Amino acid sequence: MSDAPRQPRSAPAEASLKTSVDRRTLLRGGAALGLAAPALIGAGLAAPGRAAAPMGGDPVRDVARIKLGAMEVLVMRDGQAVRENPHSMFAVNREADELAALLEKNFLPTDKVALPFTPTAVNTGAEVILFDTGLGAGAKPMGGHTSDLLAAAGIAPDAVDVVVITHMHGDHIGGLMTDGAPTYRNARYVFGQAEFDGWDSYGEGPFKAVADGFAATVKPLADKASFIAPGETVASGIEAVNAFGHTPGHMAYHLESDGARMMITADASNHFVASLQRPDWHFLFDVDKPAAAQARKDLFGMIAADRIPFIGYHMPNSAPGFLEPLSGGGFR
């Protein structure tokens, strides 16, 4: 990696976004927080010239192929983990019987919880942009199938132009490297500035394992990366959205093409019942739990109000879904 210093942008100020703001205010929340104006990133970092990957193709197991205006969105089932004792991770600020009652009411088991892993690729017609990389090949058979699923859908790893990391937990960055080399060797990378700086400065503590994974997997790619903030764009029609809290600079991404819209929410919610119906209930792996709860209410409040389909990294069925608001708060 080059020893030349990066020119960091100012870290976003700590402020929550209110659900009363309109869509553009939320998407470009950086302006209200003193951030740089929206800008198209990646000047001078274009991938080597090659034909754009074709859209369409035969159905592939564990891949949902969705037309979004002029874009094509591929939602992939990288794998799934099943964990016992849901209360060890979810609703950690509530009593265990409250969580059990909610799960039972929604016809879910109370003694275990399923956590799918769902990377997403967007073919804009000019570029293939991969959002998160899954667990990596070392996690097979539980996960680590992202590059294989892309190839089965007609996109070889060398055809991926951009890799966007929503945040730097291991199930999102694990597939960046294969056998010590970049899996997507022709790609440029897009990292959130606040996310990168947050883990780069992390010392000892409960999230040290995440910081160590970042140092081994993400940091070596910094000289091939662009660093962005909420309100800035990865490509035309793909805009970063503030969802800080789960990690220091966790971001969602809003897609828009020919009037069609979709949101990639990453880990803003980690369960379709426990975190969405009760956004104030804390999740063990949220770094800033109050901020993460506020991000859930802000982001999903806008998604529900605007009737935007969304893809969540740990949502079921590896496909977009819609939300309706609940009368007591939260979403279904």
Side-chain angles (χ1 to χ4, degrees):
M1 190 171 84
S2 172
D3 291 330
R6 290 184 294 106
Q7 299 299 318
R9 294 185 176 92
S10 299
E14 294 182 1
S16 64
L17 299 172
K18 304 302 181 184
T19 54
S20 60
V21 298
D22 63 25
R23 179 180 72 87
R24 287 301 177 190
T25 303
L26 179 58
L27 294 179
R28 303 185 189 278
L33 300 176
L35 301 175
L40 183 64
I41 66 166
L45 290 173
R50 56 186 182 276
M55 296 187 186
D58 295 331
V60 176
R61 181 179 177 182
D62 292 330
V63 178
R65 196 188 296 268
I66 302 119
K67 190 72 172 172
L68 186 76
M71 297 178 181
E72 184 177 69
V73 180
L74 301 177
V75 189
M76 294 165 285
R77 178 70 162 249
D78 182 76
Q80 176 174 285
V82 177
R83 298 284 184 255
E84 296 182 355
N85 185 15
H87 190 245
S88 66
M89 291 190 296
F90 293 96
V92 296
N93 61 331
R94 312 295 295 190
E95 297 297 328
D97 59 356
E98 291 183 78
L99 175 61
L102 180 69
L103 294 174
E104 186 173 16
K105 181 180 178 180
N106 286 272
F107 305 97
L108 294 174
T110 60
D111 61 340
K112 65 185 70 173
V113 62
L115 298 171
F117 309 111
T118 313
T120 299
V122 178
N123 188 340
T124 68
E127 291 182 309
V128 174
I129 302 171
L130 175 64
F131 290 84
D132 295 326
T133 62
L135 290 157
K140 291 180 178 179
M142 180 182 73
H145 306 288
T146 300
S147 61
D148 297 334
L149 291 171
L150 278 172
I155 302 173
D158 287 357
V160 173
D161 299 284
V162 186
V163 176
V164 180
I165 299 298
T166 63
H167 66 292
M168 293 169 184
H169 279 162
D171 53 330
H172 297 257
I173 65 173
L176 279 171
M177 298 283 189
T178 301
D179 297 327
T183 305
Y184 306 101
R185 61 182 183 177
N186 291 326
R188 58 182 174 88
Y189 302 87
V190 177
F191 303 142
Q193 183 75 69
E195 180 75 359
F196 188 97
D197 291 347
W199 293 113
D200 198 27
S201 62
Y202 200 89
E204 299 295 324
F207 299 104
K208 184 178 184 300
V210 179
D212 290 345
F214 158 82
T217 305
V218 178
K219 199 168 182 180
L221 299 171
D223 59 345
K224 298 180 179 180
S226 298
F227 297 84
I228 67 171
E232 295 182 329
T233 59
V234 175
S236 179
I238 302 178
E239 189 172 353
V241 180
N242 186 326
F244 296 2
H246 178 61
T247 57
H250 177 276
M251 289 198 291
Y253 285 86
H254 179 265
L255 313 178
E256 187 166 3
S257 177
D258 294 343
R261 299 165 61 190
M262 186 177 290
M263 190 78 76
I264 297 172
T265 61
D267 282 17
S269 171
N270 282 274
H271 192 267
F272 72 108
V273 169
S275 297
L276 279 178
Q277 291 192 23
R278 299 292 188 271
D280 284 323
W281 288 8
H282 291 174
F283 178 59
L284 178 67
F285 297 109
D286 287 340
V287 172
D288 185 334
K289 292 174 175 58
Q294 187 63 53
R296 281 190 285 277
K297 289 184 281 190
D298 291 344
L299 181 65
F300 293 110
M302 185 268 281
I303 287 171
D306 285 7
R307 301 175 63 86
I308 306 172
F310 77 100
I311 299 165
Y313 196 79
H314 297 294
M315 296 296 107
N317 300 329
S318 303
F322 289 86
L323 288 177
E324 62 178 359
L326 298 174
S327 59
F331 312 94
R332 176 167 43 220

